[in-house]
Amino acid sequence: VVSSPAIGSDGTVYIGSFDSKLYAINGQTGIKLWEFETGSPVHSSPAIGSDGTVYVGSRDGKLYALSGKTGVKRWEFLTRGEVNGSPAIGSDGTVYVGSQDKSLYAINGQTGAKLWESETRNVLRSSPAIGSDGTVYVGSGDNKLYAINGQTGAKLWEFETGGLVSSSSAIGPDGTVYVGSSDKKLYAINGKTG
């Protein structure tokens, strides 16, 4: 189990596993409620939408949307590479997820339709972070942190570090973006200008 657990509003715990499954577990008793099998190991940590939909990526290259209550698949979205990072959900329900195919995707959380795709120059293992203004921040194996317009997919700026950026960003209350790099440094970056 590399995936981190996510906890639903009813206390259900969702977690992915190397056995290619996502599990839903009663948080009080530890009893398995359901399991959903993907095509490959699940490194991605699940994200839970406001309606209880559970979104999770798999190394089979897909992002899945599942009913949190039953585990029934609502839709799946196929990328061109493994999905190891965790999805992030915008305030409007848009789901953002990166792929080993070097792209960040924006997907309609209700339908699974692609809204846009924004390419970087290397694999995306980082999980996206969403700023209060809707800007999406994601790190890439090309040593850069990208700021992307959450509505259009247009790149706003990029910040280059001295190593791979697999770390997921955290955003401070003043908009400062904090991210780690494999160059052994933690960076604090102006979220507006990079």
Side-chain angles (χ1 to χ4, degrees):
V1 176
V2 174
S3 170
S4 299
I7 304 172
S9 58
D10 63 355
T12 301
V13 179
Y14 304 95
I15 194 158
S17 171
F18 259 54
D19 65 2
S20 304
K21 295 177 181 176
L22 178 76
Y23 291 91
I25 300 165
N26 182 301
Q28 294 295 314
T29 66
I31 293 172
K32 181 177 72 175
L33 303 174
W34 53 258
E35 62 183 56
F36 176 86
E37 187 164 4
T38 75
S40 288
V42 179
H43 289 200
S44 172
S45 301
I48 305 170
S50 59
D51 65 352
T53 300
V54 179
Y55 303 95
V56 70
S58 172
R59 292 182 70 180
D60 64 7
K62 296 177 181 177
L63 177 73
Y64 293 90
L66 311 172
S67 164
K69 293 288 186 195
T70 65
V72 171
K73 182 175 69 175
R74 294 187 171 161
W75 54 257
E76 65 183 41
F77 178 85
L78 179 64
T79 75
R80 298 178 303 277
E82 296 178 2
V83 179
N84 291 318
S86 303
I89 306 169
S91 59
D92 63 354
T94 300
V95 181
Y96 303 94
V97 73
S99 170
Q100 297 276 72
D101 67 8
K102 307 178 185 179
S103 290
L104 176 72
Y105 294 90
I107 303 160
N108 182 303
Q110 292 297 312
T111 67
K114 181 172 80 170
L115 302 175
W116 53 256
E117 174 182 349
S118 183
E119 294 184 9
T120 70
R121 286 180 284 284
N122 209 315
V123 299
L124 294 178
R125 294 188 186 99
S126 169
S127 302
I130 306 169
S132 59
D133 63 354
T135 300
V136 181
Y137 303 94
V138 69
S140 173
D142 63 7
N143 301 357
K144 294 179 179 176
L145 177 73
Y146 289 86
I148 298 170
N149 182 303
Q151 292 297 312
T152 66
K155 184 177 70 177
L156 302 174
W157 53 258
E158 59 186 55
F159 179 89
E160 187 163 8
T161 74
L164 307 179
V165 183
S166 298
S167 166
S168 301
S169 305
I171 305 169
D174 64 353
T176 300
V177 181
Y178 301 91
V179 71
S181 169
S182 63
D183 65 5
K184 305 178 184 177
K185 295 178 181 174
L186 173 68
Y187 293 86
I189 305 161
N190 184 312
K192 295 289 186 196
T193 62

